[in-house]
Amino acid sequence: MNKDDDMKEVELNEMDQEKQPMTGESPTGTEKNGCVKVIVPEENEVKFTGLSKEELMKVANTAGWDRTRWVLLVLFWLGWIGMLAGAIAIIVQAPRCKPIPEMNWWNKGFLYQISDVNAFSGNGLKGVEEKLDYLNQMKVKGLVLGPIHTVQAMISLLERAHRKGISIVLDLTPNYQGVSAWFNNTASVAEQLKEDCIYWLNMGVDGIFISHLNNFTEAWQSVQDTFNKTDGTKKRALMGSVTGLSVDDISHLLNRLSVDLLLTGLPDLAEPGERQAKEIQLLYSSHLQTSLGWSLSGRTLGSLASRTPAVPVRLYQMLLFTLPGTPVFSAGDEVGLKAGEKPEEMWELESHAEDDNATAKTVQEERIAVRDFFKTLSDLKVKERSLLHGEYVSLYSSSTSLAFLRLWDQSERFLVALNWGSDPLTMTLTNSDLPAEARVCASTDTENLAVGSTVSVEKLELGPKQGVLLSYAFPG
């Protein structure tokens, strides 16, 4: 027996002794601290330590090793080329994204008309300036103000509004309070208007608004030439409105005047839905939606909530925000103010109504709910490509209802359904793009069509005077 075997035997004997119970005595009678016996197995197998440097050098230049290296190299490059070819094939076969259409600042959200700046806040243009944070939160892209006669206050408003990304448009309609906006002398008024446009554009305003354009065609070119030049960074807009024209006349006027944005006074839910669907389709198919403005309120039209008393204001809000083009609202439309109610009443919504005045409390709660609904639609309009510049597809229409799609390339799709009638309605909707179910984004009937829930699309049920905005993913 060699020395190593002797040492192992001694260690094992000691471990056998230390394994005895912790009774304080060893088997031989002497005291011993208790411990746990640990058996370490012998390593009989031989470990592979690899080739030494000398051994590697011997085989490095052999024919077999050369062949092995070349095979591995060829396999590496074949694998790499295969992965590259696969990536290229995926890119080639992937659906192409449509290019984003050219859009101007007035196409990226809604415009907000303040015809009487004193009534809006009680402090003129300074009051408007104080409300810019509120307007910015509502996602206003441009203010249409007018008429304005003070220069210094206007300059201060321009500077602050531009810092918040809000553009300013001035209403320069001549004789805005008269029956005839043009004093029956179009040529001379047009020349003065041209000078006013040049003056205010040089002051930094972002656009000019002129109403009753259907009465002003003879000297239009001289005014339009003023807007052909830009500052290289931001286009100046020439906007206008018409009243009392048929959809064919509106289309003809759009082609003739080449206005940047035209407010048509359409659609009118007092008229049958089938007619509204045809008029919307005609304007959409004949003109760029960047030039289509949708407004049903204003100085001559009154408030949105009073336009058709039988139609809830939220249905109008949903319709205007989802049509292809730019929605234009008047101050107070976002809370449902009616004719005779002052816009400054909006600023009282944040104060608590008296507990003993149940009527005032109910009105306050309703206006806050209408404003929140408006804000939801405004947020969607700004961020969703389908609503911002997507295609318009008519789905359904009846005497008191309308449904259409807004879709863009591979973006989220939106389905709008409105029933302003007095009876429940089931819409049968068919289109190759439609899924079986869609998610509720906004609804006037939160009891039956709760936001976030899913509903059947093929047979869409709407209660009387209700509307819903649904969304679904790109089906491809």
Side-chain angles (χ1 to χ4, degrees), residues 176-215:
Y176 63 94
Q177 291 182 331
V179 177
S180 174
W182 300 101
F183 305 95
N184 299 319
N185 190 354
T186 304
S188 61
V189 174
E191 187 62 29
Q192 180 61 49
L193 178 61
K194 178 181 178 181
E195 295 179 7
D196 293 342
C197 290
I198 294 173
Y199 173 81
W200 283 109
L201 291 174
N202 289 335
M203 295 298 295
V205 301
D206 305 292
I208 300 297
F209 179 87
I210 304 170
S211 61
H212 304 289
L213 287 185
N214 41 314
N215 297 327

Side-chain angles (χ1 to χ4, degrees), residues 14 69 73 233 247 276 279 309 325 345 357 389 407 409 436 451:
E14 290 177 353
R69 282 187 296 182
L73 182 63
T233 58
V247 66
Q276 305 307 312
E279 292 179 342
E345 295 181 26
N357 192 337
H389 50 70
L407 47 92
D409 198 25
V451 174

Side-chain angles (χ1 to χ4, degrees), residues 146-163:
I148 301 297
H149 303 291
T150 56
V151 178
Q152 287 304 121
M154 188 67 196
I155 293 175
S156 176
L157 175 61
L158 278 168
E159 292 175 350
R160 285 205 59 193
H162 287 168
R163 285 199 295 267

Side-chain angles (χ1 to χ4, degrees), residues 424-439:
L425 175 68
T426 299
M427 294 182 175
T428 302
L429 306 178
T430 57
N431 187 279
S432 59
D433 194 83
L434 286 175
E437 294 182 331
R439 182 178 64 89

